[in-house]
Amino acid sequence: MSIATRVASGGRINRQQRADFEFDGKRIPAYAGDTVASALLAAGERVVARSFKYHRPRGIMAAGVEESNALLTVGESGKAEPNLPATTLEAHSSVKVFGQNAWPSVRLDWRAINGWFSPLFSAGFYYKTFMGPFKGTAAWMFFEHHIRKAAGLGKSNQLPDTDRYDWQHDFVDVLVVGAGPAGLMAALAAAQSGQQVLLVEQDFELGGSLLACAVGSEQAQWLSATVAQLAQLPNAKLLTRATAFGLYDGNTVGVVEGAAPGSYDAQYGQPKQRFHTVRAGAVVMACGALERPLVFAGNDRPGVMLASALGVYANRFAVALGPSVCLSVNNNAAWANAFALAQAGQRVVIADARASVAAALSARAQQLGITVYLGTVVVEAKGRNGVHQVTLAQFNAATGQVGAVVASLPVQVLATSGGYSPTVHLTSHRGIKPVYNPALAGFVPGGFDQGHFGAGAMMGAQTWRAALESGWQAGLDAAGQTQAQEAFVPSAPTTPSLPAFALADDPCDDLAASAMPAVLLPKPSDKAFLDLQHDVHVDDLALAHREGFVSVEHLKRYTTLGMATDQGKTSNLNALSAMASLRGLPIQQVGTTTFRPPYTPITVGALAGRGVRTHYRPVRRTAMHDWHVAHQGQLTEAGYWMRPLWYASHGATLGEAYKAEMALVRGGVGIADVSTLGKIDVQGPDAAEFLDRVYVNGFSKLPVGKARYGFMLREDGIVLDDGTTSRLAPDRFFMTTTTGQAARVMSHLEFLLQVVWPELRVTVASSSDQWAAMSLAGPKVRDLLRQALPQVDFSSEALPHMGIVESVGTGVLEGMPMRVMRMTFSGELAYEVYVPTHYGAAMWNHLQTVGQSFGLQPYGLEALASLRIEKGHVVGSEMDGRTTLDDLGAGAMASKLKTYWGDALRKGDNLARTDRPTLVGLEVVNPGETVSNGAILFFTDDAIKGCGRGHVSSNCWSHEVGKVIALGLLQGGKTHIGQEILAVSPVQNRVTRLKVVEPCFIDAVGERYKVA
């Protein structure tokens, strides 16, 4: 039997525009302006979902974001998005929705058998499952599959999301959150004061609670006029379908705006969602209040709803719930919903917990033929897939006691209202706890940061007049925090005259509720749910209390109450009230749990915005990027940077090109773009002392104009990074790091200065983006640079190995600042030239022009890495987060005269073991063979299994050796020089014979780079 009918006229829907959609393959009639929930109700769909643990049938409970039951999956295949409330989904012909957490369907769910085993799923069952008779890892391995399979409600989509998301930054004078009566007034007051105003509303229509008023009513007319007035103001922006999900430092608010269904495009035009980072001079929160349900036996049956939803569906969506409706309430505002249904021709019964009500309410009810029970509450709802009968009992408001049964009524819809809870979630995100207001029987904001204001029902304004007046005042107060913009500055805001409905003596215009217990039966005959979304019922709360969970935070985590996607919007206060009763304390002493962003769930897609696929991370390009592209540079990612891996002008394949580029450097001169190196300025009176503590070797005695190579360790003694640091002045150093570790090293240095050694007078600043850098290497490099940079003395006396000079360009480089450092990575005579980034392309082109007569050619990252392998230099392949100084053969560099970061643990037993794999060189025995990076090393008499004796870390073809060579980490290291071993690659299914040699394959004494 249907519990709703579409009223022939009225409502805010557009009956001229169809918006039919699919629900589980069934076509549902709908109009523009409908939600999926309103259309499902009008179509007679009672069961639309199944509960989390017990798979009990669930229907639509609310009409807004507080909906706990009707969670659906929207879309198919790669566009499927689970766990969306039907009450917030706009009906549209492009929409396809599906029931979830059920098999084979929500109408007939075989998993409802879980209800028979409900004692096994009591509070904390997931913890107790791993206690005897099963213990430890074995228990988890047994239960994990089943627990993970049952977790959640809808299934997350595993396919790439093809929709577009975007982001933008908004800067406004006043941000108003919520477009109910208070929010509209606040926005109007601030805008008329000359402020730039942004009004955000999570609904697709402005109005808030005004939307529940009948079309043509005074409230609806005032809403239309006020929205039109705001829309005409050039300094007011109105944003619908936009949820302010989090409040952060500096008046920063996160807002996610959704597009209207059917209006977004996967590739072009309107994105599906846009993430706004709003920075406001002042923030007015007019977030309203959410109705509290009552807790009784069977309170989750389809057809059990919030009383406020009745008026919304009747007046906004022209859907009359019934035909027989019972309302169990404790406040005047709920009676207005009963009147709306009675006017639509439904049979209505009101059970009010109060012993008496205003005479005007009783008279109006009698006029409409409504049966009224006073001092009465609902104690049970009976039915299977819907409500068929409700039981009413006497209630003593003074003692809070439930008495004898008054009546059992056959009804199809049961609506409850236990009062209204101010929506304080957003106001609490800055760490200010809400406080209990006994007059409201609810929590209100405990205060505000500077520049934050509250208005409306959220602040306890219980009437139309109070809401409008508080909104106007909050808007004026917010406007007073900021300076008016020149674009639109009227003389003064016009004080509004309140509309007639706000001044009328209407008893329904009052949200105030009588205090009453959350749980109306101590031992309900059926489950009485507190948190409908996570299936937490009264017995779970009692069990948690018996087991000692008396803190609200512990209770929340033990029972999972309030941890579902609705964040306890309808369950929080009822649970706190029940807990307070169990503990024998007033609710204000029990307190509340911590509210954290997001207020409502937001998609990862919205947070990512444009940062997906190739845009997932920022793409950084050096000053010479365009040159590389124009000269056939084949680019690769290195950290966040794009670097040329090889140049197609040197070979048709990577293998051909890098070998040619290696030969170029060894025999002539090559140039490489090394701008991606991390660069850090270290300055201060204690800079030298700081570097002594950071590096394993000493820097305090390093002369000005000299550079030194060093290692820095992590706290656990493992190598963090290596690099070269130059001394530019007694109190100033220029540090370079590897490309991949630049950000981590910078963070490491800042941590040490701020936390470990705050007494040191040192400042560090990243200058990685400030300098473009190029490395020139080869036998002809000095002659080339003497001609290109005549102002620099390149003699060994003026610029020795590991020396650095600062200079200023002349001629075509007139006035260009530069640093020239003599150091090598390839083993050849080499220099690095640093210039400010905006001069990078000019210096590169100048060197190319001068270098033509010397045969200068660029070489890429592959050749650079291969040259260093020949020289035996280690990089990230060897410094992989597991190796120590001794593993890399650099233990002798560590000072014995000072301490340094990581020194203590470096000497620990595990890192000092003599059987750790250490650095060696490797040559293939058969010159025609190759070896793979990552290949596992074995001695020839080992069984080929397990992790072996080490691994190959990097390899290349060597012109100097005439075969493939490699670096690797081998147990016993150099003690095995001359020995033949095996490299096994399970990936390539290949076994290669290798000979262990010294890691430096060429020029061990350094004659090439030390040449005078």
Side-chain angles (χ1 to χ4, degrees), residues 113-128:
I113 195 174
N114 284 6
W116 298 355
F117 302 100
S118 58
L120 300 177
F121 302 125
S122 60
F125 80 92
Y126 27 82
Y127 302 119
K128 300 167 188 174

Side-chain angles (χ1 to χ4, degrees), residues 153-326:
L153 288 165
K155 293 182 180 179
S156 61
N157 177 29
Q158 302 296 315
L159 299 174
D161 189 347
T162 57
D163 287 321
R164 287 180 62 246
Y165 300 86
D166 206 349
W167 52 263
Q168 74 179 52
H169 293 271
D170 295 298
F171 299 87
V172 297
D173 294 326
V174 178
L175 169 68
V176 180
V177 180
L184 291 171
M185 287 293 276
L188 190 62
Q192 288 186 352
S193 298
Q195 310 304 298
Q196 292 291 332
V197 175
L198 175 64
L199 174 65
V200 299
E201 168 57 46
Q202 63 192 5
D203 204 332
F204 56 89
E205 283 192 73
L206 302 177
S209 57
L210 294 165
L211 297 175
C213 299
V215 174
S217 65
E218 292 180 3
Q219 292 91 331
Q221 293 175 28
W222 181 87
L223 171 61
S224 298
T226 304
V227 171
Q229 187 178 1
L230 275 170
Q232 291 175 358
L233 295 176
N235 58 325
K237 181 179 180 180
L238 312 179
L239 209 61
T240 57
R241 303 180 180 88
T243 299
F245 66 83
L247 181 63
Y248 302 93
D249 294 349
N251 286 1
T252 301
V253 180
V255 176
V256 171
E257 176 194 11
S263 69
Y264 54 87
D265 187 274
Q267 291 183 314
Y268 309 104
Q270 176 80 5
K272 182 178 182 180
Q273 291 180 335
R274 179 178 280 112
F275 175 34
H276 297 257
T277 301
V278 183
R279 294 175 176 87
V283 180
V284 176
M285 285 163 272
C287 304
L290 298 175
E291 194 169 28
R292 296 190 292 267
L294 299 180
V295 181
F296 50 88
N299 65 329
D300 69 324
R301 297 294 181 196
V304 177
M305 305 179 71
L306 294 176
S308 59
L310 303 184
V312 175
Y313 287 117
N315 291 325
R316 181 177 178 182
F317 301 112
V319 175
L321 280 299
S324 296
V325 183
C326 177

